[in-house]
């Protein structure tokens, strides 16, 4: 027996092609439309058994608000998210919103159909390889693109990072120069470059930004050596 469903996706051609393929397999596709302000209203009004909801950014905040609304007003509708390879946050956000499963945009029609059947039966519908990828990323996390401290750290040279750490440590130009074994004029140049790269106007702002973003933790401790030792009375 075919499933009564809807296909909603940003790409109209993709939605229509998927709807056509599902119709050929005996399913009753109620609509294939691009998401808009009234997309959730359409699903709520038509009340399909399963809704395939496409998204291009599964980790974007608020992207699954339509799922929340659909499940609140039509809890019997099973929503399958259709999207790219997601991050663990994307999968978690979809399920937290009430989705019954996650299907990749490039999944074969047989895989999409299996997910639809499982969702209608009240089962979680996620391909094993997606779960494996999610668990692998959770166990071996990569630096996130929105990690501000990591982004700032990549902007600075190793010497500029050391200058920033010394600035955050409260050292003035003379101490920075002595500690790094460079001329005070060179130290001032390094400080100005650090301020410019970080987009701040003062040393205090630079230190605050570095602390707030965790950049100082990533930079590690200051190097200790002869340069940091104050000259003795006999020198």
């Amino acid at each position: 027996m075919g499933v009564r469903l809807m296909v909603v996706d940003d790409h109209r051609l993709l939605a229509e092609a998927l709807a056509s393929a599902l119709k050929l397999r005996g399913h009753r596709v109620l609509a294939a439309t691009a998401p808009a302000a009234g997309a959730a209203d359409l699903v709520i009004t038509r009340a399909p058994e399963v809704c395939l909801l496409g998204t291009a950014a599964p980790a974007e905040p608020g992207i699954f608000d339509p799922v929340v609304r659909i499940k609140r007003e039509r809890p019997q509708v099973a929503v399958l998210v259709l999207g790219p390879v997601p991050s663990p946050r994307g999968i978690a956000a979809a399920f937290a919103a009430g989705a019954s499963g996650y299907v990749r945009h490039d999944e074969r029609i047989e895989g999409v159909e299996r997910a639809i059947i499982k969702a209608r039966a009240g089962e979680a519908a996620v391909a094993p390889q997606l779960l494996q990828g999610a668990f692998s990323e959770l166990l071996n996390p990569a630096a996130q693109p929105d990690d501000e401290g990591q982004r700032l750290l990549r902007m600075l040279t190793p010497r500029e990072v050391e200058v920033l750490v010394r600035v955050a440590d409260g050292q003035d130009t003379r101490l920075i120069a002595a500690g790094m074994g460079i001329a005070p004029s060179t130290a001032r140049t390094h400080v100005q470059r650090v301020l410019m790269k970080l987009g701040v106007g003062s040393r205090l702002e630079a230190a605050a930004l570095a602390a707030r973003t965790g950049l100082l933790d990533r930079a590690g401790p200051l190097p200790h050596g002869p340069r940091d030792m104050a000259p003795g009375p006999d020198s």
Side-chain angles (χ1 to χ4, degrees), residues 211-233:
R212 187 177 69 250
T213 60
L215 190 154
L216 295 177
D217 295 330
R218 289 180 171 82
L222 283 171
H224 294 292
R227 294 181 304 173
D228 292 299
M229 299 174 59

Side-chain angles (χ1 to χ4, degrees), residues 14-229:
L14 174 62
E16 291 177 350
L18 183 55
S20 298
L22 290 168
K23 284 179 181 178
L24 289 175
R25 300 178 79 86
H27 301 289
R28 291 167 290 164
V29 184
L30 300 181
T33 181
D41 290 328
L42 184 59
V43 175
I44 291 165
T45 300
R46 303 298 294 272
E49 293 177 281
V50 179
C51 171
L52 283 168
L53 181 66
T55 177
E60 184 177 314
I63 197 70
F64 297 123
D65 286 350
V67 180
V68 174
R69 187 171 167 226
I70 292 168
K71 295 302 294 184
R72 182 176 65 243
E73 300 193 27
R74 292 286 188 181
Q76 73 276 19
V77 175
V79 180
L80 279 176
V81 174
L82 187 68
V85 178
S87 67
R89 286 187 300 168
I91 292 179
F95 277 95
S100 297
Y102 194 104
V103 182
R104 283 177 50 167
H105 270 138
D106 58 356
E107 179 65 70
R108 295 173 63 87
I109 190 63
E110 294 83 4
V112 176
E113 186 175 40
R114 281 194 298 271
I116 289 170
I117 300 300
K118 291 183 72 173
R120 184 177 66 171
E123 302 175 29
V126 185
Q129 58 267 33
L130 279 184
L131 287 179
Q132 289 170 3
F135 282 128
S136 175
E137 186 172 336
L138 286 171
L139 292 172
N140 303 285
Q144 296 297 320
D146 58 350
D147 187 327
E148 185 69 4
Q150 188 67 32
R151 184 184 70 81
L152 293 175
L153 196 60
R154 287 197 297 266
M155 293 170 55
L156 304 175
T157 67
R159 174 148 287 198
E160 288 167 348
V161 170
E162 182 178 350
V163 168
L164 177 58
V165 173
R166 291 180 181 276
V167 167
D169 199 42
Q171 296 184 15
D172 60 17
T173 301
R174 180 182 60 82
L175 285 175
I176 292 173
M180 297 180 67
I182 57 179
S185 59
T186 303
R188 276 193 295 272
T189 299
H190 282 316
V191 171
Q192 290 304 313
R193 285 178 179 169
V194 168
L195 298 184
M196 181 183 66
K197 287 186 177 182
L198 295 183
V200 296
S202 70
R203 299 181 183 214
L204 183 61
E205 288 181 81
L209 177 63
R212 187 177 69 250
T213 60
L215 190 154
L216 295 177
D217 295 330
R218 289 180 171 82
L222 283 171
H224 294 292
R227 294 181 304 173
D228 292 299
M229 299 174 59

Side-chain angles (χ1 to χ4, degrees), residues 6-20:
M6 291 182 64
V7 179
V8 182
D9 197 276
D10 277 321
H11 301 90
R12 181 174 296 277
L13 290 179
L14 174 62
E16 291 177 350
L18 183 55
S20 298

